[in-house]
Amino acid sequence: MLRQAREKRGLTREALGHQLNLSAEFIRALESGDWEALPRGQERPLARQVGERLGVDPTLHLKAWADLPGESAEEVQDPVQDKKERAVMIVLAIGTL
């Protein structure tokens, strides 16, 4: 999706990377789904940044967006699990005093 949009605009990876202040390697990694080559936790923000520059909203491509590592904005924390984790953190904090 991103590669096709980039090529349609006649941009090289280097030119797009220069416009976005990203390395051509990051652009290649995003286009090929090589998530290990990207900074951990930055996969979705980088995909969104490149997509916006190319006029592509990756969230409209649900399958591709769902395959991206990292949390999506739609994911909601389980409130029961959240309370348990907070309680454990409080106990650990008190125990270190």
Side-chain angles (χ1 to χ4, degrees):
M1 154 184 57
L2 294 176
R3 182 178 53 88
Q4 292 87 351
R6 176 183 55 78
E7 290 174 347
K8 183 178 178 182
R9 285 172 175 66
L11 293 169
T12 64
R13 289 181 180 130
E14 291 77 14
L16 179 60
H18 180 69
Q19 289 178 9
L20 296 170
N21 205 23
L22 296 173
S23 72
E25 180 60 24
F26 281 3
I27 304 296
R28 185 210 56 78
L30 284 166
E31 291 177 350
S32 65
D34 181 10
W35 311 124
E36 297 298 319
L38 298 169
R40 185 170 170 87
Q42 294 300 306
E43 301 90 347
R44 288 174 184 260
L46 289 172
R48 184 178 300 277
Q49 180 183 12
V50 171
E52 285 175 356
R53 174 61 68 143
L54 296 173
V56 175
D57 183 356
T59 60
L60 295 178
H61 301 273
L62 297 177
K63 171 74 171 108
W65 189 247
D67 289 343
L68 281 172
E71 285 189 32
S72 78
E74 296 80 35
E75 292 176 357
V76 178
Q77 178 81 337
D78 176 11
V80 174
Q81 182 65 28
D82 190 42
K83 285 182 181 179
K84 289 178 182 177
E85 290 174 0
R86 287 176 190 250
V88 168
M89 292 305 291
I90 291 170
V91 168
L92 289 173
I94 291 171
T96 59
L97 296 177

